[in-house]
Amino acid sequence: MRGQLDELLQAAELLLLGGDPDDALEMLDEAVRLAPQDTLPFTRRAKLLITLGGTDHLRRAVTDLEQAIALGADSADCWFHLMRAHAKLGDLPAARAALAQAQALAPDDLRLAAWGVRLAAQADDPAEALRLVQAVRQTAPDDFHWMRQEAELLMMMSDYGRARQALTALIARHAPAEIAPGTWDAATWTSIYLKRAEACRCLGDLAAALDDLARAEALIPDEPGISFMRGLIRWQQGDADGAFDLLWGALATAAPDVRAGFWEELADYPHRGKLAATLDRYNRSAK
């Protein structure tokens, strides 16, 4: 039976490599029927089902992984994929519980730590996400990814003073001496400078905010967030009328999801209705 099982698993792998997941799934179904006490067919099938997605496939993946674990495959990898299935189904408590099991078996796995942060943020628990990030930073204090994660979580928590400090440390440690405009690096550092500008603006240090906006503009001149934040600063300085053109330009050029975020920040803007009407006329004229 072992030889037949190996043949089925190899056939499924070849079908996957050839871009035929449906036939691969049939091979794995047959492998499970052939060896219902072997963990490997269950885990292989579960991973494919997670890749295929869809509620039915994901529920089957959960069942397969729970069966594999019951049969003895109590590994970090099994718990990790069980977490992925639950997360895709939208069951965050179950996903976090599965991840905790995986981390207990592999406490030094940074991939699991990253998922812990992600799930905590999705569960609207930024304090826990920050705790997890800071735990990793104890062993990797200068890692770019984790430094940036800490700063972004502090921004999410509106802890602008510590966020500014974290972003300044990130820039001092990792910002390249030269960044070519329009490159991937330019997009990354534009985002970072925009975040520090926002922290400075919220702290009332408008001069520092404008300095960071100038740094961002040198990298990506047409980034809508730059114009938008300049408009917010103008409004914060008491010039709501003067802010209008800057805010309008940002709204007109921003992607829909970004524009939605802009509107949230403009809830109290005194000319919000005029902005909406102007944008509506612009959109109708562009059709």
Side-chain angles (χ1 to χ4, degrees), residues 207-283:
L210 289 169
D211 285 345
D212 272 342
L213 292 178
R215 293 183 179 96
E217 188 174 38
L219 299 175
I220 303 183
D222 57 354
E223 163 58 48
I226 298 169
S227 177
F228 183 76
M229 201 172 303
R230 282 188 174 137
L232 292 180
I233 290 171
R234 185 75 64 85
W235 175 24
Q236 194 167 337
Q237 290 171 326
D239 186 4
D241 292 337
F244 186 90
D245 286 344
L246 290 164
L247 296 173
W248 146 244
L251 288 164
T253 56
D257 58 332
V258 175
R259 185 184 300 153
F262 287 173
W263 279 121
E264 288 181 12
E265 293 197 53
L266 294 172
D268 298 323
Y269 181 59
H271 306 314
R272 195 176 192 277
K274 182 181 175 183
L275 269 178
T278 305
L279 187 63
D280 183 60
R281 286 196 300 273
Y282 172 81
N283 289 334

Side-chain angles (χ1 to χ4, degrees), residues 3-236:
Q4 188 178 354
L5 177 61
D6 289 342
E7 287 178 6
L8 287 170
L9 295 175
Q10 185 177 11
E13 185 174 349
L14 291 173
L15 286 165
L16 280 175
L17 290 173
D20 195 349
D22 291 335
D23 283 349
L25 185 57
E26 288 185 9
M27 291 293 103
L28 292 172
D29 288 343
E30 189 173 341
V32 168
R33 287 192 294 270
L34 177 68
Q37 298 303 310
D38 194 307
T39 63
L40 195 54
F42 286 106
T43 57
R44 291 276 185 89
R45 185 169 70 178
K47 291 175 185 179
L48 175 54
L49 289 166
I50 292 170
T51 300
L52 292 172
T55 300
D56 290 342
H57 284 152
L58 292 169
R59 285 175 176 164
R60 287 182 64 198
V62 167
T63 300
D64 277 355
L65 289 163
E66 289 175 342
Q67 180 65 15
I69 291 167
L71 288 171
D74 186 19
S75 66
D77 186 65
C78 269
W79 286 107
F80 169 74
H81 289 289
L82 183 58
M83 176 274 294
R84 288 184 61 217
H86 282 308
K88 286 191 172 189
L89 284 167
D91 189 344
L92 288 179
R96 295 177 79 179
L99 181 62
Q101 294 286 347
Q103 289 180 299
L105 294 165
D108 298 325
D109 190 329
L110 291 182
R111 176 185 64 166
L112 299 181
W115 268 96
V117 173
R118 179 174 173 178
L119 292 179
Q122 287 179 6
D124 197 23
D125 191 357
E128 173 62 9
L130 181 62
R131 186 192 69 78
L132 293 170
V133 168
Q134 291 175 335
V136 174
R137 290 206 60 219
Q138 293 296 314
T139 57
D142 293 329
D143 182 89
F144 172 84
H145 170 75
W146 295 103
M147 290 182 77
R148 187 178 184 184
Q149 283 267 297
E150 181 177 29
E152 291 183 348
L153 285 165
L154 289 166
M155 288 293 294
M156 187 185 301
M157 297 168 70
S158 301
D159 191 343
Y160 299 117
R162 291 170 66 202
R164 179 180 182 174
Q165 292 175 353
L167 288 161
T168 298
L170 175 64
I171 290 165
R173 180 68 181 83
H174 290 287
E178 294 184 9
I179 305 173
T183 61
W184 181 87
D185 274 352
T188 297
W189 288 101
T190 295
S191 175
I192 290 168
Y193 284 124
L194 279 171
K195 281 188 171 59
R196 190 170 68 170
E198 175 66 4
C200 291
R201 186 186 72 80
C202 291
L203 291 167
D205 191 347
L206 303 185
L210 289 169
D211 285 345
D212 272 342
L213 292 178
R215 293 183 179 96
E217 188 174 38
L219 299 175
I220 303 183
D222 57 354
E223 163 58 48
I226 298 169
S227 177
F228 183 76
M229 201 172 303
R230 282 188 174 137
L232 292 180
I233 290 171
R234 185 75 64 85
W235 175 24
Q236 194 167 337

